[in-house]
Structures are given as structure tokens and as C-alpha cells.
Amino acid sequence: LDYIKNRIYAAAISAGRNPKNITLIAITKAFPVDIWEQALNVNLTIIGESRIKEAEKKLANFSKKNKIELHCIGHLQTNKTRKAINIFDVIQTVDTINLAEKMERICNENKKKQSIYLQINTGADPKKHGILANKALLVAKEVTKMEHLILEGIMTIPPQDLPIMELRSVYRKTREIRDKIGEKINNDCKNISMGMSNDYEIAISEGATHIRIGSGLFGPRPQ
């Protein structure tokens, strides 16, 4: 953790940014149920999980939910929407208007406001979920009309094994999308979740506000 914090600090300073504006999300998917306790013991309070069933199991064994902020960072199937809204403080993977509309209906029933990010497939990777870059503003506009959804930011997962310059370009385009949404549509949309254990310094240099680190913190993910 200290090693990563030092590299975050150096990457932010090098990019002319304030290191305090970078939030580390500890990605605990596939790790044992006591991993949240371990994370909390070293003041990692923002936790990311991918699967509903796994998050439910960890919640059942964890008594300090009010001390963490739990982010959904995995693809959300519409039939799991209600459970996701019950479990997660922030859902980062809203990737269709249909999903947003279903979330809005459920939140209306539950009298709940749900913080969300739009997942943008900036790299146009056919293997990845997400809204294509040229549709991002349209979706942001529709979502902004939904009174129970709070559009806090956008997230992206780039194609695997991109050369550094192409990866940099994907991250830069993602930041530009956030800028346009913030300027033209919704000035609450401030966050950019991008960058993982192997490329978070590049993401920080291109404007990431939230980086998602799992194996860099906890070691190789159990199979």
C-alpha cells in the first residue's frame, strides 16, 4: 500500500495534479471473505466488487458496512439490478439507457438516490461492455433527467495489451468525454474511474480521479 501510495503521489505531481484528488479503490473480487476486514485495517475504505453473489457473501460476514463505500465495478445484468441497488453505494457500470431506466424505477420504489458512473467503451473493444464514445453525451443527457440517479462520473476499461500511446489516447478521450458531460450536461459528473494495477500511473497522468487496484495491493487473485 505504501509503495502504491508513493507512486500515486509521484504520478500526480509529475502531471501537475494534487495527489489528494486521486482516490484508490481496493478491488477485492475473488479474494476471501475476510478481505474487507483486512482492507479496513489499513484504512482502505473504498472497496470494489464485481459479482453480486460474492458481494452478498462478504456483506453477510462483515459488520462494518457503514465504514466502507462499496462500488460495483463488474457488468450488471438487468435481472440483478434490485440486488445491486440494495448492496452498492456506487454502481460504476451503467452501460445502457435500459439499465438506467430500470434503476430509476427501483430507486423510485425504494425512495433511494443511487450514485452511478456511466461505463464508456472508449476503446470500442467488442469484448467489453460500455457505451460507445459517440453515444456517451446522449446517454448522459437521458440519465441526468432521472431524479433518483446521481451521475457522479464515468468509467472505462481499455482493451487489453494496448501499446502505451494507444492506451494513453483511450484515457485522454475518456477525460474529454467527462469534460464535455460536465460542461454541457451535468456538472455533478466530475469523476473518472480508469487505471488498474498495471497502468494506473498513465491513467493518473491523463486525468483519472479514481484508480482500481486489486492484485497490486493483495497479490495474485485466487483462481
Side-chain angles (χ1 to χ4, degrees):
L1 178 58
D2 287 341
Y3 171 73
I4 285 170
K5 281 182 172 174
N6 287 338
R7 288 181 67 175
I8 290 169
Y9 182 90
I13 294 296
S14 171
R17 299 182 62 202
N18 184 342
K20 290 180 180 170
N21 294 336
I22 317 292
T23 299
L24 173 57
I25 305 175
I27 305 302
T28 53
K29 66 177 182 180
F31 288 102
V33 288
D34 62 350
I35 196 76
W36 291 2
E37 201 73 55
Q38 291 178 39
L40 195 53
N41 284 343
V42 290
N43 294 319
L44 285 168
T45 58
I46 302 181
I47 306 281
E49 283 283 338
S50 288
R51 300 181 190 97
I52 302 285
K53 199 173 273 189
E54 188 179 337
E56 281 183 313
K57 190 175 175 186
K58 284 173 177 162
L59 266 179
N61 289 275
F62 187 70
S63 59
K64 300 169 188 163
K65 172 67 169 69
N66 61 332
K67 297 204 168 148
I68 65 168
E69 181 178 285
L70 194 56
H71 287 234
C72 175
I73 53 115
H75 176 61
L76 180 58
Q77 295 166 303
T78 49
N79 64 343
K80 305 257 179 82
T81 308
R82 192 175 295 275
K83 279 188 176 177
I85 286 167
N86 288 336
I87 293 171
F88 292 102
D89 301 298
V90 181
I91 296 173
Q92 288 202 13
T93 48
V94 177
D95 58 0
T96 65
I97 290 177
N98 280 354
L99 177 59
E101 286 172 341
K102 183 162 187 183
M103 291 172 78
E104 172 66 15
R105 286 195 299 275
I106 293 166
C107 289
N108 186 28
E109 285 169 28
N110 294 355
K111 304 287 185 281
K112 180 187 177 181
K113 297 265 187 178
Q114 177 69 56
S115 295
I116 66 159
Y117 291 20
L118 296 180
Q119 181 174 353
I120 313 296
N121 187 352
T122 319
D125 183 349
K127 296 177 186 165
K128 297 276 191 305
H129 296 281
I131 300 151
L132 290 175
N134 62 357
K135 299 282 196 308
L137 269 65
L138 174 72
V139 176
K141 196 175 281 187
E142 290 303 308
V143 167
T144 297
K145 294 174 191 169
M146 299 178 193
E147 58 185 277
H148 296 87
L149 302 187
I150 304 163
L151 180 56
E152 291 189 350
I154 64 175
M155 76 92 83
T156 198
I157 304 169
Q160 282 187 313
D161 303 321
L162 280 184
I164 284 180
M165 293 310 290
E166 287 181 38
L167 179 64
R168 200 173 273 288
S169 171
V170 166
Y171 284 159
R172 188 174 303 135
K173 283 178 189 165
T174 305
R175 185 190 72 230
E176 288 165 358
I177 290 167
R178 186 281 316 263
D179 292 347
K180 282 178 189 164
I181 292 171
E183 287 162 20
K184 298 179 177 179
I185 295 162
N186 188 329
N187 59 14
D188 289 332
C189 183
K190 294 183 166 68
N191 298 335
I192 312 172
S193 169
M194 62 187 187
M196 293 179 269
S197 295
N198 60 345
D199 66 1
Y200 60 90
E201 288 150 306
I202 296 169
I204 288 168
S205 73
E206 293 300 339
T209 62
H210 290 62
I211 56 172
R212 310 182 298 269
I213 299 189
S215 56
L217 286 167
F218 304 112
R221 192 165 277 118
Q223 294 304 309

